[in-house]
Amino acid sequence: MSLPFFRSGDELMWRHEHHLLTVRPWGRDSVRVRAGVHRLRDDLPGALEPEPAPQEAEIHIGADSATLTSGLLRITVTAADGLLTATRADTGAELLREEPAHFWWPGARHFEALGGGVHRIEQRFAAYDDERIYGLGQYGHGRFDQKGMVLGLQQRNGEVSIPFAVSSRGYGLLWNNPAVGRVELAANGTRWVADRARQLDYWLTAGETPARVLGNYADATGHAPRFPAWASGFWQSKLRYSSQDELLGVAREYAARGLPLSVIVVDYLHWRHLGDWSFDQRHWPDPRAMVEELRGMGVEVAVSVWPSVSPLSSNHPPMRDAGLLIAGEGGSTAHAEWPDIEPTPEPGAGGGTEPGTQPGTQPGTQSVAGAAAGRGAASDVAVAFYDATDERARAWLWDRLRENYYDLGIRAWWLDACEPEMRHPEHHSYAAGPGAEVANLYPREHTRGVYEHMRAQGETEILSLVRSAWAGSQRYGAALWSGDIPATFEALASTVRAGLNVAMSGMPWWAADIGGFHGGDPGDPAYRELMVRWFQYGAFCPLFRLHGHREPRETRSFVGVAGGPNEVWSFGDEAYAAMTSVMRLRERLRPYLHAQLREGERTGLPLMRPLLLEFPGDPAAWDVDDQFMFGRDLLVAPVTEPGARTRPVYLPDGATWTHTDGNTRYKGGARVTVDAPLDRIPVFVRDDAHTPLSLEEPT
């Protein structure tokens, strides 16, 4: 009887009947594992960078099993059933083990045929009671440790699927598959599921520390580029500034008050029709002059770009005819309802738009907002989405962005609603493949298009603020933010933990809407307290951005949709004093921030670091989920409870800590309670800090 193993170069292969498994070294201390029925394909989309440099691998084939060793990682495959076990090559400690669901079927790897070479695929691993799992993107469940959770592998507003997990057992696993599915991190096993896929594909790495695991991941999927100098200052934003005059008035007020301002944001509805990707000149008559005036103040303009295209936009017919829009199962390109603005007819002329420009609503479309009367009439239209997985469509979009924004001097992009904001991806067809197989890829490819075309223009400082991301988005200058979250203390606490998981997902650039997005009354004392606390936290995020849809909300027409005041002077004198002090602190932090991010370009480490990244040898550090390191040297303890004026803090073992409020020194490995008055956030400096830093305002 011949052995089921064979070797091809540095790749170990196992075959039983139609089931084929391959293991290949893929970067430092890492392997790529693929499995399928009959054959494996090399042309499927994924997150890994192009094939890495050749790695030295030791392969040994025996009668009962075979092993492949790549640095610290050793993979053993049994001959009888092809089960895979990952261990540390130096210690023999088990990292991860495949485990069948049943002694008969399904096995650890399960392929349920759907026809046409497509399967519903399951990959099962054993559960470990003491294991902690971090990363996997951004979810609003309020937990840092993902063990015990069931997470959908699907992009939604506020839920971002980045299928990379870091384990306390010393490994990282990337589910290298953009299919819609889920991961179940249960007590009786871990199961990864792709609802529709051609083959199984995952990447596995080992590391002595979580920091080493993140570094290996960055090597495999791409390191973040240089963080733009302009992006580290304060961002002013709200839903929404409805005209050029209004936006300039806000920027001039910041200048008159002597407050630092780096970016001001032009939100959605600055266009005439969704998918125009241009300013409506009725309300933005001279955007070039606006950009020039703001740049003279040291302020960049960030502009909202949506991936959706209304049939009323002039871009819709040519994009539809060229096949640049996402198609449905029946060929329709209409996927969501959106209230768009019909032109106001001339007196005596017939109303409405040209016949055929508003296709009927398709089954499963999504109502995004209600319609109301305004200038012209706001009517629901069935909008399309450009296909970001199509290189031609990315080029079309860039041509519009270049003509209508970039050539006016705009360099900062807010790629909003880039999940994209539609339901039922399994019903859609992309250039990269059927929606159920590739939908999670969309936000990364959207960001990629902007990044690559900006690079082609000679730009070197590129950042896109995005509401969704996938594995590898970091290499295209993606700065993820929290999505549309509530304006509550509970949401603030959940956001702190969500940001830590984003950091463990290989995304070093992240931010939250300071103050939350949904609601918040600037005149309410309780909300003012929340705003101050969130503002303090925001100053220690990579992006420091104020945004939200405040009360009172204007809803007299869709075009007039806007929220209440959301500038730092909108929340009363006490809050203003506390917030402006934080703004000046952020300015003093900027050189340190950039130095830490530059080091992260090389190491793959994020700016916001869970304590376990810097202190993996301290068991207590692995359980702390409401504090973080801001770079190597600063420990930040946000206040996330209303009315709190003290804050318990854990100071990790392995350092001595100096509290910046009073310069009290503490030995590490201790829990202390410190004062946290409304105008202060507890911050501690590590004893051997490399960067001289003053957190106190000059007197």
Side-chain angles (χ1 to χ4, degrees), residues 262-317:
S262 290
V263 182
I264 193 164
V265 181
V266 179
D267 202 347
Y268 77 162
L269 300 180
H270 66 268
W271 48 71
R272 191 179 184 97
H273 297 301
L274 191 65
D276 284 348
W277 300 305
S278 64
F279 286 101
D280 182 345
Q281 292 196 345
R282 294 174 296 179
H283 308 286
W284 307 85
D286 194 350
R288 184 189 301 277
M290 175 187 71
V291 170
E292 291 174 353
E293 178 180 343
L294 289 167
R295 187 158 288 141
M297 302 178 191
V299 179
E300 292 292 323
V301 176
V303 65
S304 175
V305 175
W306 283 47
S308 14
V309 190
S310 165
L312 301 178
S313 170
S314 61
N315 287 311
H316 186 278

Side-chain angles (χ1 to χ4, degrees), residues 363-379:
T365 57
Q366 174 184 3
S367 180
V368 181
R375 49 176 197 272
S379 300

Side-chain angles (χ1 to χ4, degrees), residues 477-529:
L480 181 65
W481 101 92
S482 56
D484 297 349
I485 54 179
T488 64
F489 270 101
E490 292 81 7
L492 172 56
S494 294
T495 296
V496 172
R497 296 177 177 93
L500 297 184
N501 271 321
V502 170
M504 296 298 290
S505 304
M507 288 288 295
W509 302 355
W510 185 80
D513 285 349
I514 290 177
F517 176 77
H518 288 296
D521 183 351
D524 179 0
Y527 182 69
R528 290 177 173 182
E529 179 186 9

Side-chain angles (χ1 to χ4, degrees), residues 217-218 221-225 470-478 505-509:
Y217 174 80
T221 63
H223 287 252
W470 195 63
S473 285
Q474 74 280 354
R475 71 179 182 250
Y476 298 123
S505 304
M507 288 288 295
W509 302 355

Side-chain angles (χ1 to χ4, degrees), residues 141-312:
H141 50 54
R143 290 184 53 172
F144 179 37
D145 181 2
Q146 305 275 26
K147 181 69 174 179
M149 306 303 292
V150 176
L151 304 175
L153 301 179
Q154 183 170 345
Q155 313 292 7
R156 302 182 181 95
N157 183 347
E159 292 192 353
V160 179
S161 176
I162 301 175
F164 173 60
V166 178
S167 168
S168 60
R169 296 179 64 82
Y171 71 85
L173 187 147
L174 166 69
W175 184 246
N176 190 36
N177 189 326
V180 175
R182 66 185 180 277
V183 58
E184 302 164 351
L185 305 167
N188 64 333
T190 292
R191 178 167 64 168
W192 294 82
V193 179
D195 289 339
R196 178 185 172 99
R198 308 281 165 169
Q199 62 196 32
L200 187 152
D201 190 344
Y202 66 89
W203 175 85
L204 186 66
T205 191
E208 301 97 332
T209 64
R212 182 67 175 263
V213 169
L214 284 181
N216 292 350
Y217 174 80
D219 290 345
T221 63
H223 287 252
R226 180 60 50 91
F227 190 74
W230 52 262
S232 61
F234 177 63
W235 292 48
Q236 173 60 49
S237 181
K238 63 167 281 187
L239 193 163
R240 68 185 173 97
Y241 297 120
S242 58
S243 71
Q244 179 173 325
D245 286 344
E246 183 184 5
L247 182 137
L248 282 173
V250 170
R252 290 166 183 159
E253 182 65 19
Y254 271 97
R257 291 171 179 255
L259 298 176
L261 179 64
S262 290
V263 182
I264 193 164
V265 181
V266 179
D267 202 347
Y268 77 162
L269 300 180
H270 66 268
W271 48 71
R272 191 179 184 97
H273 297 301
L274 191 65
D276 284 348
W277 300 305
S278 64
F279 286 101
D280 182 345
Q281 292 196 345
R282 294 174 296 179
H283 308 286
W284 307 85
D286 194 350
R288 184 189 301 277
M290 175 187 71
V291 170
E292 291 174 353
E293 178 180 343
L294 289 167
R295 187 158 288 141
M297 302 178 191
V299 179
E300 292 292 323
V301 176
V303 65
S304 175
V305 175
W306 283 47
S308 14
V309 190
S310 165
L312 301 178

